[in-house]
Amino acid sequence: MPRAGTLRRSTGAGRGSGRLTPAKNCGHIEDYGDYIRDLTDFWTAWAPANPGPQVAMGHSMGGHLVLRALVEDAIRADAAVLVAPMLGFKPGIFGPFAERAARFLGDLGDTARPAWKGNEKPYTTETRASLLTHDPDRYADEIWWQTEHPEILTGPPSWRWVIEGFRSMRELAADPRIETMRVPTLVLVAEKDGLIDAKSALKLVPRLPDVRLITFGKESAHEILREKDAVRDRALGEIDAFLDARAAPR
């Protein structure tokens, strides 16, 4: 596997991602259903030109959205891979009342405003690096891209993003269609994930009728595919073996 620094290259002077709020670099959405509609539109246009096998892969929030889209039959894939899927937020200082607290705090002002300052996780002194990976080179690669192309940087989410995230995850967990979603699915979970609630994933994932669950211990932070080689190679090996077995070209 090439090390992080070997992948750097010039990408030109693009404008980066658009923002749905005036706050610079703030990730905002009014309804997670907007994400699902975007994914559905993309899949509808992409799938006919790519006969397959067709595999949907998502990391973190992307993993949540891929699973929700499959459960809602918004997209149809031959297999799916979810890496550290965001299926629950860390409860933080508010414990079981976190969603209610987010709604209360968000409604104190414009819900499109940033929910907290620049750190990945509120109410913590943990560094962004420690939350994401144990590999300093791969983390440094992220900083290189952010420095060279600041237009791609996404900072803290908006209160609306947090509120709608709680709602989307709660409704997905309660959706009975999880038990009938038969797309073969590989799920990689970092049990000591400091950014999202791994326990929520470990509770929900076994309900899928055709799933392979792979867990990592303290050796892995949230970014499993940007971890040290031992973790990353194991994860990539599991993905390769799963796709060879469940989504091989016909």
Side-chain angles (χ1 to χ4, degrees):
M1 288 293 168
R3 297 297 291 173
T6 66
L7 301 179
R8 296 173 183 163
R9 64 193 71 181
S10 174
T11 59
R15 293 185 301 165
S17 298
R19 304 297 173 193
L20 301 178
T21 171
K24 183 180 179 181
N25 297 331
C26 178
H28 173 70
I29 197 75
E30 286 293 324
D31 186 326
Y32 274 46
D34 294 344
Y35 290 134
I36 302 299
R37 284 184 283 276
D38 285 348
L39 176 55
T40 303
D41 289 345
F42 168 81
W43 195 273
T44 300
W46 172 82
N50 296 274
Q54 295 171 341
V55 178
M57 300 182 67
H59 164 71
S60 196
M61 182 182 74
H64 167 79
L65 297 175
V66 167
L67 180 57
R68 178 175 160 179
L70 292 170
V71 167
E72 295 178 1
D73 202 28
I75 64 173
R76 296 187 178 183
D78 294 300
V81 178
L82 313 179
V83 183
M86 187 187 82
L87 300 178
F89 289 144
K90 289 283 190 181
I93 63 173
F94 295 109
F97 305 105
E99 180 176 2
R100 188 181 304 175
R103 292 184 179 279
F104 173 78
L105 293 171
D107 287 342
L108 292 178
D110 181 2
T111 56
R113 73 189 191 279
W116 53 79
K117 294 184 179 181
N119 203 349
E120 284 281 349
K121 190 171 70 170
Y123 315 117
T124 181
T125 58
E126 290 180 88
T127 67
R128 176 178 163 85
S130 67
L131 291 169
L132 299 184
T133 177
H134 295 91
D135 190 305
D137 289 339
R138 291 192 172 112
Y139 181 71
D141 189 63
E142 174 178 322
I143 301 305
W144 184 92
W145 281 101
Q146 291 177 1
T147 302
E148 292 295 315
H149 300 281
E151 71 276 7
I152 70 175
L153 177 64
T154 297
S158 70
W159 278 110
R160 177 56 58 192
W161 184 96
V162 175
I163 292 167
E164 291 302 309
F166 273 117
R167 180 167 73 91
S168 183
M169 291 185 292
R170 172 170 44 79
E171 291 179 352
L172 175 60
D175 195 325
R177 292 174 291 181
I178 289 174
E179 281 83 7
T180 59
M181 198 289 287
R182 299 195 174 277
V183 174
T185 304
L186 172 67
V187 184
L188 308 180
V189 174
E191 294 180 315
K192 301 300 181 182
D193 198 318
L195 192 57
I196 60 171
D197 181 28
K199 292 180 180 179
S200 296
L202 295 175
K203 182 178 179 180
L204 184 150
V205 166
R207 295 168 53 197
L208 295 167
D210 189 353
V211 66
R212 176 167 171 76
L213 172 63
I214 302 298
T215 60
F216 297 81
K218 63 182 181 180
E219 71 275 11
S220 181
H222 181 61
E223 299 272 4
I224 298 172
L225 296 181
R226 290 201 300 139
E227 262 295 353
K228 291 185 175 182
D229 285 348
V231 173
R232 187 170 184 255
D233 290 350
R234 180 188 168 206
L236 292 174
E238 290 286 354
I239 294 172
D240 286 345
F242 173 77
L243 295 180
D244 285 344
R246 306 307 303 275
R250 300 180 180 87

